[in-house]
């Protein structure tokens, strides 16, 4: 996993509540047994005017299609971002498109977890703080935001600065780009010890 | 010290506190399906990782396979065959039990994992699918994970998780005629919003839940994720133990005795507290139906579509207006007058035998309205078989419904079979998101009896007005 330490980038606001993972990457865009090839399908229902994959027609109204916003790497959104389906494809699609962070008042719990596992930083800030960053969808040019994970701050080029909360486990893993599976595999003995005792306690729970 | 049900299961699976706010938890069962399980298994293969205990891992085909009679590996979903053949190959290589297309036990993962006795009270169960929480109805701690965490569980039989808060939802009173478990969970989400359960594991408890049969409890827990909860669970009782008895993977003989002794302790003790508590009086709930594109956009079927102008929060107001635009509806209109194009009964929310029986009770002797496309998809091969033994399939077919093979079918759209843009569907599924059942498709979530009643009249209908009560 690519570490996340600080990131400075352009921010695109899609301030809608309950943006679900079906919307982030529709099922019809997940055509292969693969974690790649998903960036093009990101927000497909909003980004393109027609459902036809072969001749996509760009929706000029959609914020990510507007001049200046195409290079956005930070997404601002309403509460409960990433609710719905557990598809990790939503995270992979955001990353492949070029996003490094999403800032929202709250996140769907599976999405939040999936994002952390892949180095996409989900930042929780209250809605008034997000608004106060001064990133306005109506502005001709996108605003810039700096996210500093070590100091857990988000600052905008309008001079606003906010602190956010992140669980220590996630902060550490992101800063160092650690792989959770590798780390857990090192606890092999602990797991074996647990299972030996557990078989005594809950033998019925073991099929073999 | 008095403990909650969740706390007891948590403690018995806690391998280590990792000292960074997360815990290493033992995972007892992993369930996979061909859509996301195939990707997790491929990830394992690419990294040359072994499935640590294949005996505790199961896989089904439900999402991508067709549900037409006579189906095979060929599917209407573009690129779908690859998911099917890859899943078959990877499960075989890993030594995982696969409920393949023609296996009589095949079905929607969350339906068959209960049916086969794979999910049990007190077990931790994960699946790369958000509706895994359905199994909380058995008293299992079950939740959906992403592919990376699924690989983690496969490789280590553990997961690292940050402990969620605990919420109690206390249910009292009895459901009125025509009102079902689906209406309960829709009502709850409507009342407290689609993020009302965010950050919590929810225990549904109280006398109201005890009176509900197991399958109804599954419907409630199924949509805990639509409430943004980590999971939902219900303490096992006599009804649960009866449900489990004799299921293929459930403990038998001496193991069953030991399990029964263990399960007897799986309840929230008197004096234990939740971080947050909600109450619902079941007798006050009406048949419910969604009008918008979030499960929180819900009203009683006798109500009118709300006016976004009345909503004080600007973001929520815009969300409501956008939903009305997508749905092609106006504020102030009676929801029960809205005309339909299609009706769908199926999905892990409402495709079990009791759901099909209830819907058939409404359809019996009647024909669906002209021009309505109506489909019934049983949740598993065994549900289908049991329904056919009772003759339910004839009732569906005689009324004008299609009768399909088990699977997820048109609960979601993946580029294959789907409804058409602009079509309005009343559906017993769990998600009414934009495009969920096809680009531009307008989905109204409701109970199977409301779907059946609406299919008969051709517009959204209050089942209580038909004079046939369930
Ligand atoms: S029936 Fe629908 S919600 Fe349930 S697992 Fe299948 S696709 Fe998901």
């Amino acid at each position: 996993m690519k570490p996340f330490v600080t990131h400075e980038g352009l921010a695109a606001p899609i301030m809608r509540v309950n943006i679900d993972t079906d919307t982030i990457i529709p099922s019809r865009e997940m055509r292969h047994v693969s974690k790649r090839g998903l960036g093009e399908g990101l927000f497909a229902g909003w980004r393109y005017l027609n459902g036809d994959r072969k001749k996509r027609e760009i929706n000029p109204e959609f914020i990510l299609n507007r001049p200046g916003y195409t290079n956005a790497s930070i997404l601002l959104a309403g509460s409960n971002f990433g609710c719905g389906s557990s598809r990790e494809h939503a995270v992979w699609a955001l990353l492949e498109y070029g996003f490094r962070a999403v800032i929202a008042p709250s996140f769907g719990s599976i999405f939040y977890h999936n994002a952390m596992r892949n180095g996409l930083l989900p930042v929780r800030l209250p809605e008034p703080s997000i608004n106060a960053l001064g990133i306005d969808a109506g502005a001709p040019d996108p605003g810039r935001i700096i996210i500093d994970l070590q100091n857990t701050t988000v600052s905008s080029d309008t001079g606003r600065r906010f602190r956010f909360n992140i669980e220590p486990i996630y902060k550490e893993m992101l800063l160092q780009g650690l792989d959770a599976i590798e780390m857990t595999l090192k606890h092999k003995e602990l797991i074996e010890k647990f299972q030996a005792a557990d078989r005594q306690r809950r033998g019925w729970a073991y099929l073999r | 010290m008095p403990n909650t049900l969740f706390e007891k299961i948590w403690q018995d699976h806690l391998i280590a506190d990792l000292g960074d706010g997360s815990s290493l938890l033992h995972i007892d069962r992993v369930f996979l399906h061909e859509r996301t399980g195939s990707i997790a298994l491929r990830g394992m293969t690419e990294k040359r990782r072994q499935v640590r205990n294949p005996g505790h891992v199961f896989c089904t085909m439900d999402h991508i396979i067709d549900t037409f009679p006579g189906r095979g590996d060929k599917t209407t979903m573009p690129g779908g065959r690859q998911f099917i053949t890859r899943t078959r190959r990877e499960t075989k290589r890993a030594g995982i039990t696969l409920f393949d297309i023609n296996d009589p036990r095949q079905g929607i993962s969350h339906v068959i994992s209960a049916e086969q006795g794979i999910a049990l009270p007190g077990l931790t169960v994960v699946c790369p699918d958000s509706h895994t929480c359905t199994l909380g109805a058995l008293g299992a701690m079950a939740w959906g994970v992403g592919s990376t965490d699924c690989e983690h569980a496969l490789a280590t039989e553990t997961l690292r998780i940050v402990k969620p808060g605990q919420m109690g939802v206390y249910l009292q009173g009895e459901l009125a005629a025509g009102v079902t478990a689906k209406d309960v969970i829709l009502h709850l989400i409507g009342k407290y919003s689609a993020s009302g359960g965010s950050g919590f594991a929810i225990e549904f408890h109280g006398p109201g839940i005890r009176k509900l049969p197991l399958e109804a409890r599954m419907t409630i827990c199924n949509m805990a994720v639509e409430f943004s909860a980590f999971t939902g669970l219900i303490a096992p009782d006599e009804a649960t133990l009866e449900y489990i008895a004799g299921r293929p993977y459930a403990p038998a003989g001496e193991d069953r005795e030991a399990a029964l002794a263990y399960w007897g302790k799986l309840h929230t003790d008197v004096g234990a507290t939740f971080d947050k508590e909600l109450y619902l009086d079941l007798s006050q709930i009406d048949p419910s139906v969604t009008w918008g594109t979030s499960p929180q956009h819900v009203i009683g079927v006798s109500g009118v579509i709300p006016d976004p102008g009345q909503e004080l929060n600007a973001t929520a107001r815009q969300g409501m207006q956008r939903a009305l635009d997508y749905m092609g509806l106006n504020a102030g209109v009676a929801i029960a007058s809205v005309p339909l194009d299609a009706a769908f009964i199926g999905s892990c929310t409402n495709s079990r035998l009791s759901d099909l029986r209830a819907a058939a009770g409404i359809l019996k002797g009647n024909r669906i309205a002209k021009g309505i496309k109506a489909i019934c998809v049983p949740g598993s091969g065994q549900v289908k078989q049991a329904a056919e033994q009772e003759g339910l399939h004839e009732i569906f077919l005689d009324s004008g419904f299609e009768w399909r093979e088990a699977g997820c079918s048109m609960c979601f759209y993946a580029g294959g079979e789907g409804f058409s843009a602009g079509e309005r569907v009343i559906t017993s599924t769990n998600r009414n998101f934009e495009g969920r059942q096809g680009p531009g498709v307008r989905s109204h979530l409701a109970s199977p009896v409301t779907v059946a009643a609406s299919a008969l009249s051709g517009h959204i209908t209050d089942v209580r007005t038909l004079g046939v009560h369930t």
Side-chain angles (χ1 to χ4, degrees):
Chain A
M1 177 173 102
K2 193 170 159 196
F4 189 113
V5 184
T6 57
H7 177 75
E8 179 174 355
L10 301 177
I14 309 182
M15 296 306 294
R16 291 181 198 154
V17 295
N18 300 323
I19 297 178
D20 58 83
T21 52
D22 274 77
T23 296
I24 299 170
I25 179 87
S27 290
R28 59 184 186 277
E29 302 290 338
M30 299 158 40
R31 297 196 178 200
H32 304 285
V33 186
S34 174
K35 304 178 180 180
R36 289 173 283 274
L38 297 161
E40 200 196 313
L42 181 74
F43 293 121
W46 292 348
R47 229 165 113 199
Y48 308 111
L49 288 172
N50 49 353
D52 188 349
R53 254 175 75 103
K54 284 180 214 104
K55 307 188 297 275
R56 295 212 200 259
E57 206 183 311
I58 298 287
N59 172 10
E61 299 290 314
F62 185 58
I63 186 145
L64 298 182
N65 291 332
R66 290 187 3 217
Y69 284 92
T70 46
N71 292 323
S73 60
I74 298 168
L75 191 65
L76 309 185
S79 61
N80 210 19
F81 183 86
C83 61
S85 158
S86 62
R87 60 188 70 172
E88 201 159 316
H89 305 69
V91 171
W92 299 326
L94 283 161
L95 282 168
E96 193 176 304
Y97 179 89
F99 284 108
R100 286 302 327 263
V102 183
I103 305 178
S106 61
F107 292 89
S109 88
I110 307 174
F111 176 88
Y112 186 78
H113 203 74
N114 287 342
M116 295 295 189
R117 289 277 180 259
N118 289 277
L120 175 78
L121 180 65
V123 176
R124 284 179 300 225
L125 279 185
E127 195 176 322
S129 309
I130 298 179
N131 293 336
L133 286 168
I135 310 288
D136 182 359
D141 297 313
R144 286 193 91 77
I145 282 181
I146 301 169
I147 302 172
D148 179 343
L149 180 56
Q150 189 67 55
N151 294 309
T152 55
T153 57
V154 171
S155 25
S156 68
D157 56 5
T158 53
R160 302 305 294 261
R161 188 146 171 259
F162 297 98
R163 194 171 288 284
F164 62 92
N165 282 322
I166 179 168
E167 297 75 3
I169 174 191
Y170 293 135
K171 184 174 169 183
E172 222 31 58
M173 296 194 81
L174 281 169
L175 283 171
Q176 300 188 42
L178 297 173
D179 179 317
I181 302 178
E182 287 308 321
M183 284 164 68
T184 301
L185 285 169
K186 294 198 188 105
H187 291 308
K188 194 163 167 244
E189 275 170 34
L190 215 57
I191 297 167
E192 276 165 8
K193 211 172 115 220
F194 174 91
Q195 288 185 329
D198 194 34
R199 276 183 187 271
Q200 301 296 318
R201 212 170 16 147
R202 294 188 313 139
W204 57 269
Y206 289 77
L207 291 169
R208 278 183 211 164
Chain B
M1 205 182 85
N3 264 335
T4 60
L5 167 63
F6 178 81
E7 191 62 41
K8 289 178 185 178
I9 301 178
W10 179 275
Q11 289 303 335
D12 275 357
H13 289 82
L14 184 63
I15 299 173
D17 187 335
L18 296 169
D20 54 8
S22 75
S23 307
L24 192 64
L25 228 55
H26 192 260
I27 302 301
D28 298 321
R29 303 282 186 274
V30 182
F31 214 106
L32 307 171
H33 58 65
E34 86 281 31
R35 178 141 166 266
T36 53
S38 55
I39 291 170
L41 288 173
R42 179 175 168 189
M44 296 282 289
T45 306
E46 281 176 357
K47 293 238 165 66
R48 298 182 188 282
R49 286 182 176 135
Q50 298 288 323
V51 176
R52 194 174 137 95
N53 186 348
H56 285 175
V57 184
F58 298 84
C59 184
T60 189
M61 306 267 197
D62 54 3
H63 277 69
I64 282 170
I65 53 165
D66 280 341
T67 51
F68 300 115
R71 66 181 172 189
D73 286 5
K74 204 164 145 268
T75 143
T76 47
M77 186 197 139
R81 184 192 278 266
Q82 186 204 5
F83 286 83
I84 294 168
T85 51
R86 187 110 200 183
T87 298
R88 198 172 285 137
R89 196 161 72 229
E90 295 278 7
T91 48
K92 190 158 181 221
R93 172 159 40 197
I96 293 167
T97 302
L98 170 67
F99 304 113
D100 208 337
I101 299 179
N102 293 318
D103 191 310
R105 301 167 297 176
Q106 175 272 343
I108 303 173
S109 61
H110 318 307
V111 175
I112 66 174
S113 113
E115 205 170 71
Q116 292 297 318
I118 292 165
L120 295 167
L123 293 187
T124 45
V125 182
V126 298
C127 171
D129 190 288
S130 59
H131 291 102
T132 311
C133 51
T134 311
L135 303 160
L138 294 163
M141 189 171 136
W143 70 101
V145 296
S147 305
T148 308
D149 264 8
C150 181
E151 289 171 43
H152 191 292
L154 289 170
T156 69
E157 286 185 90
T158 70
L159 275 181
R160 299 170 163 254
I161 60 173
V162 176
K163 193 176 182 180
Q166 293 183 57
M167 182 193 282
V169 176
Y170 186 87
L171 307 180
Q172 58 187 24
E174 266 186 73
L175 293 173
V179 186
T180 72
K182 179 65 160 288
D183 304 300
V184 174
I185 190 67
L186 284 174
H187 179 85
L188 180 76
I189 297 168
K191 190 164 172 188
Y192 296 101
S193 96
S195 52
S198 180
F200 293 102
I202 296 177
E203 182 182 345
F204 296 98
H205 63 139
I209 208 81
R210 295 285 145 235
K211 288 191 204 103
L212 294 178
L214 252 283
E215 297 191 350
R217 297 180 195 177
M218 291 182 198
T219 300
I220 290 183
C221 287
N222 174 270
M223 290 188 68
V225 67
E226 261 57 67
F227 197 40
S228 275
F230 169 76
T231 190
L233 69 172
I234 295 172
D237 59 9
E238 281 305 314
T240 322
L241 303 183
E242 207 177 292
Y243 176 92
I244 292 164
R247 304 226 166 237
Y249 291 95
E254 268 176 39
D255 275 347
R256 179 164 165 90
E257 292 309 311
L260 286 173
Y262 185 88
W263 294 338
K265 291 182 246 161
L266 285 182
H267 53 77
T268 292
D269 299 325
V270 178
T273 51
F274 296 99
D275 301 316
K276 189 171 178 181
E277 287 208 70
L278 305 177
Y279 299 86
L280 272 192
D281 182 349
L282 300 186
S283 67
Q284 298 301 309
I285 297 174
D286 284 329
S288 300
V289 59
T290 60
W291 56 264
T293 55
S294 159
Q296 78 182 29
H297 294 154
V298 68
I299 48 173
V301 68
S302 50
V304 296
I305 296 169
D307 178 4
Q310 305 288 313
E311 171 62 54
L312 297 175
N313 178 288
T315 319
R317 184 166 61 241
Q318 284 157 17
M320 286 173 74
Q321 190 53 55
R322 219 193 122 76
L324 286 180
D325 294 345
Y326 179 87
M327 296 296 288
L329 293 172
N330 291 316
V333 171
I335 192 83
S337 66
V338 172
L340 297 161
D341 301 298
F344 182 82
I345 294 176
S347 91
C348 55
T349 319
N350 282 124
S351 64
R352 286 168 282 265
L353 189 58
S354 55
D355 299 313
L356 305 191
R357 275 185 191 149
I362 303 292
L363 297 174
K364 192 164 185 180
N366 296 309
R367 287 285 305 173
I368 59 170
K370 237 178 136 193
I372 296 279
K373 172 175 174 166
I375 297 168
C376 177
V377 187
S380 72
Q382 295 206 343
V383 168
K384 181 171 183 259
Q385 197 189 8
E388 289 178 353
Q389 263 160 17
E390 293 181 15
L392 299 184
H393 62 309
E394 281 163 8
I395 298 176
F396 278 100
L397 289 165
D398 289 347
S399 74
F401 265 79
E402 288 180 42
W403 179 251
R404 296 287 189 90
E405 296 293 334
C408 297
S409 193
M410 283 151 84
C411 170
F412 80 114
Y413 174 75
E417 193 190 11
F419 300 102
S420 311
E423 275 190 332
R424 189 177 300 285
V425 187
I426 184 121
T427 173
S428 77
T429 55
N430 45 43
R431 289 190 174 137
N432 53 345
F433 301 156
E434 281 183 32
R436 169 75 179 183
Q437 292 184 297
V441 174
R442 297 157 169 166
S443 309
H444 294 272
L445 307 179
S447 73
V449 289
T450 298
V451 174
S454 304
L456 293 180
S457 53
H459 56 83
I460 296 177
T461 295
D462 185 342
V463 63
R464 296 170 301 188
T465 62
L466 293 188
V468 192
H469 287 157
T470 50

